[in-house]
Amino acid sequence: MYLREARKLASDRLREAGIDRPWFEADLLICSIIGMERTLLLAHPERPFPEHLIPELKAAIERRAAREPLQYITGVCEFMGRAFRVGPGCLVPRPETELLVAESRKYFKGGLFLDWGTGSGCIATSILLDNPGSRCVAVDKNPVALTWAWRNLREKDLLGRCLLCHCSSLERIPVPSPGFEMIVSNPPYIPSAQIPELMPEVERYEPRSALDGGEDGFDHYRSIVGWAPSALVPGGVLILEAGSCFEEVSVLIQ
Ligand code: GLN
């Protein structure tokens, strides 16, 4: 099989499964399996697709056709211009969450911060890399998500500056004295009843614990906004991502 045929095989199947950009996604699957840049793939359709990788390609196509998120299959997701490892058990980082990291640059001047619901660790990692002297406590209630955060922090040599903590209630978070300089979070904020209506990639595959914000979607905001003042230093900052139910993307308590 040539690369041209591999592209056609994959894109035909993905189109049939209702994937929006079948050629593009077919290319990304092929590139991740054979370890090739997309420009090279497009420039050399006459090259052979390695025979021994055909079963892997077919399995990847079927996973995607079943609407598993592309990033779970390739194992990577770009966030703030860096590659993060992701897979079943953690939320795929969203582009809009980059806004939260960008906001943190305006308010965080270094020190210790908390990332509540760290998932893949994309927020904690990005802020630690932005602020070389900073340290972080990164918490998640899902132990599988924490394994992804651990991988990402390790790969970027940040384990020495981040305490990963498996913890489901705010009251059990280790709060150092005198408190955090900043708390950041992209909490689950989808109203429970809307979860079945989400796209299959999200509804079937992403962890419900990373999505479900309770009956009105506000459960986690209520708890964190109530708890944050006791965990922040005076003048500390709380930055939260919010869904479309909020007019403001960030809620700041100073
Ligand atoms: N902090 C992670 C992210 O923004 C996970 C968020 C979550 O699980 N709700 O991708």
Side-chain angles (χ1 to χ4, degrees):
M1 180 159 70
Y2 294 100
L3 292 180
R4 163 189 321 112
E5 290 159 332
R7 293 186 74 218
K8 177 149 169 44
L9 174 87
S11 57
D12 283 353
R13 178 71 183 106
L14 297 184
R15 183 176 308 101
E16 180 191 294
I19 304 295
D20 270 352
R21 295 183 297 168
W23 280 106
F24 179 66
E25 295 212 8
D27 288 354
L28 297 187
L29 288 177
I30 293 169
C31 289
S32 107
I33 289 169
I34 63 177
M36 182 186 255
E37 294 282 329
R38 184 159 183 250
T39 42
L40 259 183
L41 171 70
L42 296 177
H44 293 287
E46 78 292 352
R47 287 195 188 167
F49 183 92
E51 193 80 23
H52 68 285
L53 294 176
I54 293 177
E56 196 177 323
L57 175 65
K58 290 190 170 158
I61 296 170
E62 284 316 307
R63 284 173 71 183
R64 186 64 191 111
R67 307 298 292 265
E68 184 167 346
L70 179 77
Q71 297 89 338
Y72 280 5
I73 306 168
T74 60
V76 285
C77 177
E78 195 184 301
F79 184 81
M80 300 299 291
R82 299 183 183 97
F84 283 84
R85 297 203 181 270
V86 293
C90 74
L91 193 81
V92 175
R94 305 295 203 263
E96 60 270 24
T97 304
E98 296 185 345
L99 183 59
L100 191 151
V101 176
E103 283 294 306
S104 79
R105 290 181 179 154
K106 297 185 200 160
Y107 302 96
F108 185 56
K109 301 288 169 251
L112 181 66
F113 69 98
L114 170 71
D115 176 18
W116 190 53
T118 195
S120 62
C122 60
I123 298 173
T125 302
S126 304
I127 296 176
L128 285 167
L129 289 173
D130 264 0
N131 299 276
S134 63
R135 288 163 301 119
C136 173
V137 176
V139 177
D140 207 289
K141 63 185 164 199
N142 178 353
V144 185
L146 283 173
T147 66
W148 289 107
W150 183 84
R151 280 187 193 117
N152 285 313
L153 288 156
R154 184 187 55 170
E155 213 166 82
K156 292 172 172 62
D157 204 18
L158 292 171
L159 283 175
R161 290 204 276 138
C162 184
L163 176 69
L164 280 169
C165 191
H166 177 222
C167 172
S168 51
S169 89
L170 287 162
E171 284 64 40
R172 302 187 65 170
I173 291 176
V175 182
S177 173
F180 297 107
E181 300 290 335
M182 174 173 76
I183 298 174
V184 288
S185 180
N186 173 21
Y189 53 70
I190 315 281
S192 310
Q194 285 178 21
I195 291 183
E197 294 155 26
L198 298 173
M199 53 202 280
E201 282 81 350
V202 183
E203 190 260 322
R204 287 188 209 151
Y205 290 95
E206 292 195 275
R208 192 173 172 119
S209 61
L211 303 169
D212 195 338
E215 195 176 334
D216 59 3
F218 286 80
D219 277 8
H220 297 92
Y221 298 101
R222 275 189 283 269
S223 1
I224 199 160
V225 169
W227 173 82
S230 68
L232 284 167
V233 298
V237 182
L238 168 63
I239 307 181
L240 303 175
E241 178 170 325
S244 51
C245 47
F246 281 90
E247 290 194 8
E248 295 276 319
V249 173
S250 313
V251 178
L252 301 173
I253 299 178
Q254 302 220 16

